[in-house]
Amino acid sequence: MPEPVIASVGASPIGRTDLPGRDLFSIALAEAFDGLPDPAELVEAVYVGNQSESYEHQIMHGTLLAEWAGLRHVPAERVEGCAAAGALALRHAVKDVRNGDHEAVLACGVEKMTSAGTSGATDALSAAFDRAIEQRSGVTAPSQYALLAQRYLHETDATERDLAEIAVKNHANAARNPRAQFPKEIDVDTVLESNPVASPLKLYDCAPVGDGAAAVLVTSAELAEDLGRPQVRVAGSGASANNIAVAERDMTDIAGARIAAETAYEEAGIDADAVDIAEVHDAFTVCEALLAEAAGFAPSEMGYQSYLDPAKRADGWTDVRLSPSGGLKARGHPIGATGLLQALEAYEQLTGAAGDRAVEGADTALLLNEGGVADAVTVGHVLTTAEGAR
């Protein structure tokens, strides 16, 4: 059975831009294929993560981006899972290579969120909620996650200051990431004194709206070697869907994320303590705390300590470093591209291309990308160097 690897990555700038989605994709593609043969000479299939057609009034993203890459007559599909769309595209590409269906598959993601303005983005994101139970009430994404945060603060010893410290940590990481939307450090008071969004969440607890695209080339290990590219093994993959409505779930036990991570660990033949870095779906600061627990990095009710140095965390924590890219919070969250931006960060970390933000000695990474509210759908991937998870 062929071994799937990531052979190359690329991304557009992240943030507010006048460029349409196809041009953002072209920038990501150009970086991913710098020094490689033309995509038409390599790519045998395309998967595109895209959250909503409402931003640019555009469907058929598979065909559109295949055309924009110069590809004709290859399988090309849009993959949708709200904010998990990018990771789902990666998962499909990995399965195609592993099954021997294709030797080189392009997983990409794009979102042009700013074209719709704040109200348009809010409306597009609310389409991920249960229509009968939630949408008609006027509930928004921040208010949904505020319910999770309120419950988490009620059930644990965490405080609003702890959540603010997570934002501070992720901005510090983003300050060393040239790809970040907000590459600047902040302090706790900046977070705590920022405008309220939905109590207890404030402006700096929330990931920003932004535009962006990412491209990840998944190939067989043999082809990556022939191309002379640094490669990162996709050692494990898992996915899980929970109920779509938050009211029908345990708000502080992110079971779908736990199952997705455990499935990826089992496939990779590792435990949580083997993971050196993790890119998790911190759309809001409380998400990092909840996902640290779901992924098995932290004991129950202690995930909020993710901002602390590993030596200062409670017993039962692993030594994992979370969100070295700056996470969704500060690197940015162009919805359809987010899961692939996580893969890009892990690729750069594991191939020695992360620069000042590199986590020393890292050889194993976990990616957790969620869609809907919390674990309505979660996709997990374990990436390793050639020596990792053997």
Side-chain angles (χ1 to χ4, degrees), residues 162-236:
D162 288 314
L163 298 185
E165 291 280 12
I166 293 174
V168 170
K169 182 262 296 180
N170 287 347
H171 272 268
N173 289 345
R176 298 189 293 273
N177 185 356
R179 299 183 185 275
Q181 183 172 351
F182 293 120
K184 62 178 183 179
E185 297 193 25
I186 59 174
D187 58 27
V188 171
D189 288 340
T190 297
V191 183
L192 293 175
E193 294 171 7
S194 62
N195 291 334
V197 176
S199 181
L201 300 177
K202 305 160 194 68
L203 180 65
Y204 275 87
D205 285 298
C206 309
V209 168
D211 308 327
V216 173
L217 179 64
V218 180
T219 72
S220 65
E222 292 78 7
L223 178 56
E225 186 173 350
D226 290 343
L227 293 171
R229 305 295 291 192
Q231 54 183 274
V232 168
R233 299 172 58 233
V234 185

Side-chain angles (χ1 to χ4, degrees), residues 273-359:
D273 59 7
V275 176
D276 301 302
I277 59 171
E279 284 288 310
V280 300
H281 198 88
D282 63 320
F284 300 87
T285 48
V286 69
C287 301
E288 184 168 297
L290 291 165
L291 289 173
E293 296 174 24
F297 302 141
S300 178
E301 302 184 4
M302 302 301 290
Y304 66 88
Q305 294 184 342
S306 65
Y307 66 89
L308 293 173
D309 183 271
K312 297 180 180 179
R313 296 169 182 163
D315 290 344
W317 258 94
T318 73
D319 290 338
V320 68
R321 301 281 184 168
L322 285 96
S323 306
S325 69
L328 285 61
K329 174 65 201 73
R331 182 214 52 231
H333 185 26
I335 305 280
T338 290
L340 294 159
L341 290 167
Q342 292 181 334
L344 183 153
E345 174 66 18
Y347 181 86
E348 293 188 335
Q349 288 281 349
L350 300 184
T351 59
D356 292 343
R357 70 186 186 283
V359 176

Side-chain angles (χ1 to χ4, degrees), residues 60-125:
M60 299 290 290
H61 273 86
T63 300
L64 176 69
L65 298 194
E67 174 188 344
W68 220 238
L71 305 173
R72 296 293 186 276
H73 308 300
V74 301
E77 302 176 21
R78 173 198 177 194
V79 182
E80 189 277 313
C82 195
L88 285 169
L90 177 60
R91 180 170 163 83
H92 286 313
V94 167
K95 291 173 72 173
D96 276 7
V97 172
R98 180 174 288 145
N99 292 339
D101 295 333
H102 303 292
E103 196 172 13
V105 181
L106 182 63
C108 49
V110 63
E111 214 74 58
K112 174 66 179 174
M113 299 180 72
T114 64
S115 64
T118 300
S119 62
T122 300
D123 184 66
L125 290 169

